[in-house]
Amino acid sequence: MPSEKMRWETLEALKNSSKGKLRFDPLWSERGEHILSGCTEDLGLSPQSGLILEHLGSRPLQRSPFLSPSPPPSSPGPSRDSPAPGLGPASSSGSVPDSGGRPGAASKTSPCVCVCVCVCVCVFQLALRLRQEVQEQLVVAVASAESEHLKRFEELMELKQRQEFQTMRDMMDRETKESMGRQEKLKEEQRHRMKIMNLRLREAEQQRLREAELERQRQAEGRDRLRSLNTVQEEILQLNQLLEPGSAPSSAPSSAPSSASARGNQLCSQVSEVVRKTTEGEFPSVEDMAVAERALHDMRTLIRLTQEEAAKAREEARRAREQEEERRKRAELQAQQEAQEKAAQTAREKAQRRGLQNSAEDATLRWYRDLQEAAAAAVQSFQQLSCPQDARTKKLKLELQKAATIPVSQISSNSGSQLREIFDKLDKLLSGRSVTTGGQAASASQHPQGLRFVSYKLAEKFVKQGEEEVASHYEAAFPIAVVASGVWELHPQVGDFILAHLHQKCPYAVPHYPPMKDGTAVEEYQRILGYRVDESGVEGQDSFLKRMSGMIRLYAAIIQLRWPYGTKQGSGPHGLNHGWRWLAQMLNMEPLADVTATLLFDFLEVCGNALMKQYQNQFWKLLLLLTEEYLPRIEAVTSSDQRGSFTRLRQFLETSLKNRQIAEPKGQLSPGFWRS
């Protein structure tokens, strides 16, 4: 329908007009305005309305479906003076002329204007309703969107608050952890500082205790040195009195040398000078004690030399008197001596025809007694060191004793370099130099009696090794003997002590068969013969023979050996001539059951090869004499239960004479041994 089309055109025109385009401002709520504040302009017809009206004016009026179904109320019509409502300036063209005009013309244009006005009003009302509906829908949509937007905003804000709260809580937790970590670190540093402080305090306390202990030791050592100094001064003053002329024995020369007295006074002055320092409240130092002890040593040496000179003078006087007495009696006894010599010669010839000797020769016995007396005098000379009274001397005695005995216990046939080290250590000890044994340093020169004490103890240890070690292992005799021979060569006093100890423990090494004197107990006599006697009684014969064999084997090894690095020329300090003498004297004495056969076999097995090379035919003659004449005498005194040693000796002699050769002993040190 045309009217329908017009309505749509009208709506399209309204839509495209400026009034039909609504603007939406999203910030209206923030400014506090109404949502339709922009749509409050006055309504007006666009230029398109005129075209519509012209178009409608050329057509008959039709009833519009937009109009109210009921007809409008009748009215007398519009007033001539007032325009129709809702019409603008265009309605003036349809106004009714005044009463002077034509009435037909007014009636002709009035319905058309009314229709147009109604149409416009309807269109405007419809557009307004549509616009209101659109605006309401828009308001609802906008309100809904804004509500959703507000909800999302609130959710976002809530999320941000939660995130900020979580961030803040995480930051607080992190700061708490960091604070706790810093606190723990501070606590750890505090504990570390406390630990270091405690360690320093403990070290300081220990240092203080050490210093206090050192001070206490220094005071104790100072007091000991002071007591020793007083003892030294007392002894040196007493010794100085012996140098005074009035204190000399009646047998001494009438006047003592003035030089000795002056020297004694000088030594006393040295000690007094050291003592004078102690009166000022100071303890004597080690150097002061060394000066005092050296002065005491010099005083003892001076006394000894003075006494030796006095003894020498007395001995010369005694010899002079004896010579005078001898010259006086020589003439009287000359005839008697000749007669006695003839009688003694006759007696010896008869004794030789009857049998052998029962004791050693006079020279041998005199040598034996001299060695024992020298050993006893040595023991008496170091009595102060042997039986010390103060702790310092006791400690020195133990250190010197260990320094002398431990190296001898370490002697073995492992290598030549080891024997050289042991020998060098013993040589240093006997030379007065310091040696270290068991971590402790010791020197024989620390005591005036130290050298003699060390020599005596060293010799005793050598013999003890033969009594124990060699008795169990025969081959051990050679390394022990070669070291003993080297020490003997450089320090002869040790060799004399070795012989003294050997003769005391094994008198058959002299050889000497001590006779039983009247009043001597049986056990005491057995001890003199070399048996061990204790609370359980006398040792058995097998143990006795075993010990005697060990010592004789050691003696036989010493006789034939010499230290290969010695500087002296010729034979050893106790050479093969002593072995020949021992063997010859054994054959001149009556044999003892079980003892003689054992010792002869041990001696010949160790030393026979060396004697054979040295004496050759003379040795074979002696061996033949032993086999033909002396062996039957041994067999005569040997019982049936003692024939073991006799059988070994007889087989050894028969084999040697048959082969005209004696094998080298087992365990002898070869030249290559000293390169090991």
Side-chain angles (χ1 to χ4, degrees):
M1 295 177 62
S3 61
E4 193 74 23
K5 182 178 180 181
M6 290 176 62
R7 289 195 295 271
W8 287 110
E9 290 177 354
T10 301
L11 293 175
E12 184 69 23
L14 292 173
K15 178 181 178 182
N16 293 328
S17 66
S18 60
K19 299 297 184 180
K21 296 181 181 179
L22 297 177
R23 296 186 302 275
F24 175 72
D25 189 0
L27 303 176
W28 62 271
S29 60
E30 297 180 1
R31 294 196 298 268
E33 298 178 355
H34 195 270
I35 191 171
L36 298 178
S37 61
C39 304
T40 58
E41 292 88 351
D42 295 335
L43 296 177
L45 293 177
S46 65
Q48 193 73 14
S49 301
L51 295 177
I52 295 174
L53 292 177
E54 289 180 359
H55 183 70
L56 289 176
S58 64
R59 294 177 181 273
L61 182 61
Q62 296 182 357
R63 187 176 181 84
S64 174
F66 295 98
L67 298 177
S68 175
S70 60
S74 59
S75 61
S79 174
R80 180 179 296 183
D81 296 329
S82 61
L87 295 178
S91 64
S92 63
S93 65
S95 64
V96 180
D98 57 7
S99 60
R102 292 180 298 173
S107 63
K108 182 179 180 180
T109 58
S110 178
C112 183
V113 172
C114 292
V115 171
C116 289
V117 170
C118 291
V119 170
C120 290
V121 170
C122 292
V123 171
F124 289 155
Q125 290 178 353
L126 178 61
L128 182 59
R129 284 195 299 272
L130 291 175
R131 192 167 185 175
Q132 287 178 351
E133 292 176 358
V134 171
Q135 290 294 333
E136 291 176 356
Q137 293 176 359
L138 181 61
V139 169
V140 171
V142 169
S144 176
E146 289 297 327
S147 178
E148 292 297 329
H149 182 71
L150 183 59
K151 290 180 181 180
R152 301 291 85 78
F153 179 75
E154 291 176 352
E155 292 176 356
L156 180 61
M157 294 301 293
E158 186 179 357
L159 176 61
K160 288 184 178 180
Q161 289 179 357
R162 289 198 305 270
Q163 289 178 349
E164 290 178 357
F165 179 74
Q166 184 66 32
T167 302
M168 186 177 296
R169 186 170 60 185
D170 294 343
M171 184 175 63
M172 292 177 65
D173 293 342
R174 185 169 58 255
E175 290 179 354
T176 302
K177 291 181 180 178
E178 290 178 356
S179 178
M180 293 177 65
R182 287 193 296 270
Q183 290 180 0
E184 290 296 329
K185 187 175 180 181
L186 290 175
K187 290 180 181 179
E188 183 65 25
E189 291 178 356
Q190 182 67 17
R191 287 193 294 268
H192 182 65
R193 286 194 295 269
M194 290 298 295
K195 185 177 180 180
I196 293 176
M197 187 177 297
N198 291 334
L199 288 175
R200 290 178 178 175
L201 289 175
R202 192 179 299 111
E203 290 177 357
E205 181 65 19
Q206 291 177 356
Q207 181 67 21
R208 187 186 65 80
L209 294 176
R210 284 195 297 269
E211 291 177 356
E213 180 65 20
L214 291 176
E215 180 64 21
R216 187 185 63 80
Q217 292 180 359
R218 190 184 68 82
Q219 293 288 337
E221 292 176 357
R223 286 190 290 269
D224 291 341
R225 288 195 296 269
L226 182 59
R227 286 192 292 268
S228 300
L229 180 61
N230 294 333
T231 304
V232 169
Q233 186 182 24
E234 181 182 1
E235 183 176 355
I236 200 170
L237 291 175
Q238 291 177 356
L239 294 176
N240 188 48
Q241 293 177 358
L242 300 177
L243 297 176
E244 296 179 0
S247 62
S250 59
S251 59
S254 58
S255 60
S258 59
S259 59
S261 179
R263 177 58 178 167
N265 293 330
Q266 183 181 2
L267 294 175
C268 291
S269 300
Q270 292 179 3
V271 177
S272 299
E273 184 66 24
V274 175
V275 173
R276 190 176 297 110
K277 295 181 181 180
T278 62
T279 58
E280 300 176 358
E282 296 181 359
F283 291 117
S285 62
V286 178
E287 292 77 9
D288 295 336
M289 290 303 301
V291 171
E293 290 176 354
R294 186 164 56 250
L296 179 60
H297 177 70
D298 294 343
M299 177 64 78
R300 289 172 179 169
T301 303
L302 182 62
I303 292 295
R304 180 173 54 82
L305 293 176
T306 304
Q307 291 177 350
E308 289 178 356
E309 291 178 358
K312 185 177 180 181
R314 290 193 298 271
E315 183 66 20
E316 290 178 354
R318 184 183 62 81
R319 288 178 180 177
R321 290 194 300 271
E322 290 179 353
Q323 290 176 0
E324 182 66 25
E325 184 70 18
E326 184 179 357
R327 283 194 299 270
R328 186 178 61 83
K329 294 181 179 180
R330 185 175 300 171
E332 299 176 359
L333 298 177
Q334 186 174 5
Q336 297 178 4
Q337 288 177 357
E338 294 178 357
Q340 290 176 358
E341 288 178 0
K342 293 180 180 179
Q345 181 66 25
T346 304
R348 282 196 296 270
E349 292 177 356
K350 292 181 179 180
Q352 290 178 357
R353 287 195 297 269
R354 288 195 306 269
L356 301 177
Q357 301 175 4
N358 291 323
S359 61
E361 296 180 353
D362 295 339
T364 303
L365 289 177
R366 187 165 52 253
W367 174 59
Y368 163 73
R369 293 191 183 97
D370 290 343
L371 289 175
Q372 296 302 317
E373 290 175 359
V379 172
Q380 188 65 29
S381 65
F382 57 76
Q383 185 68 25
Q384 182 181 358
L385 182 58
S386 180
C387 299
Q389 300 297 326
D390 57 302
R392 181 185 176 187
T393 309
K394 289 181 181 179
K395 182 179 179 182
L396 178 61
K397 172 197 171 183
L398 293 177
E399 291 176 356
L400 291 177
Q401 192 165 347
K402 288 191 294 184
T405 57
I406 290 179
V408 179
S409 302
Q410 297 173 347
I411 295 176
S412 65
S413 58
N414 293 334
S415 65
S417 59
Q418 182 185 13
L419 289 187
R420 291 194 65 179
E421 292 178 1
I422 294 173
F423 175 80
D424 292 340
K425 184 179 291 187
L426 295 176
D427 182 37
K428 288 175 61 178
L429 178 65
L430 294 171
S431 300
R433 290 177 288 174
S434 177
V435 296
T436 303
T437 304
Q440 297 291 333
S443 174
S445 60
Q446 292 179 283
H447 196 277
Q449 305 166 3
L451 288 176
R452 182 164 293 190
F453 175 78
V454 167
S455 301
Y456 186 87
K457 290 298 180 181
L458 180 60
E460 184 181 30
K461 182 62 178 178
F462 274 123
V463 176
K464 189 174 182 180
Q465 285 294 99
E467 184 182 10
E468 297 176 354
E469 183 68 20
V470 180
S472 301
H473 306 89
Y474 289 158
E475 297 179 0
F478 293 94
I480 297 174
V482 73
V483 176
S485 178
V487 173
W488 194 335
E489 183 175 348
L490 294 180
H491 307 278
Q493 186 179 19
V494 178
D496 294 340
F497 289 150
I498 289 176
L499 289 176
H501 283 291
L502 182 65
H503 294 168
Q504 185 179 9
K505 292 189 174 183
C506 179
Y508 314 103
V510 178
H512 174 53
Y513 302 155
M516 185 174 181
K517 298 180 180 180
D518 296 337
T520 304
V522 176
E523 292 182 352
E524 181 64 25
Y525 180 64
Q526 288 177 327
R527 186 181 287 108
I528 294 174
L529 292 178
Y531 288 88
R532 283 180 175 174
V533 182
D534 52 17
E535 293 80 2
S536 59
V538 183
E539 69 174 331
Q541 186 70 9
D542 293 338
S543 175
F544 167 73
L545 292 176
K546 185 177 181 180
R547 291 192 302 106
M548 298 299 110
S549 296
M551 287 184 281
I552 286 297
R553 284 179 176 270
L554 177 63
Y555 181 62
I558 292 175
I559 287 172
Q560 61 177 315
L561 292 179
R562 185 180 181 185
W563 182 247
Y565 301 102
T567 57
K568 296 181 180 180
Q569 302 295 328
S571 60
H574 198 73
L576 286 171
N577 57 323
H578 293 274
W580 179 268
R581 180 191 61 79
W582 183 87
L583 186 59
Q585 290 193 10
M586 282 290 290
L587 298 182
N588 287 331
M589 298 176 67
E590 288 288 347
L592 297 178
D594 212 10
V595 175
T596 303
T598 300
L599 299 184
L600 283 174
F601 172 76
D602 292 328
F603 185 85
L604 290 173
E605 189 177 42
V606 175
C607 196
N609 181 269
L611 290 172
M612 176 193 69
K613 293 178 180 179
Q614 178 73 18
Y615 296 101
Q616 298 179 0
N617 290 333
Q618 296 296 326
F619 174 75
W620 290 113
K621 291 179 181 180
L622 186 64
L623 215 62
L624 185 63
L625 175 65
L626 171 60
T627 304
E628 293 180 351
E629 297 185 9
Y630 198 71
L631 197 61
R633 289 180 176 274
I634 297 175
E635 185 177 10
V637 298
T638 303
S639 60
S640 58
D641 57 343
Q642 298 175 341
R643 298 189 66 85
S645 57
F646 170 77
T647 303
R648 286 193 300 271
L649 176 62
R650 185 179 61 184
Q651 292 176 354
F652 176 82
L653 294 174
E654 291 176 354
T655 303
S656 300
L657 290 172
K658 180 180 179 180
N659 298 329
R660 196 74 176 179
Q661 182 68 31
I662 295 179
E664 293 185 355
K666 294 181 180 181
Q668 189 171 9
L669 304 178
S670 62
F673 169 79
W674 300 103
R675 294 190 294 270
S676 60

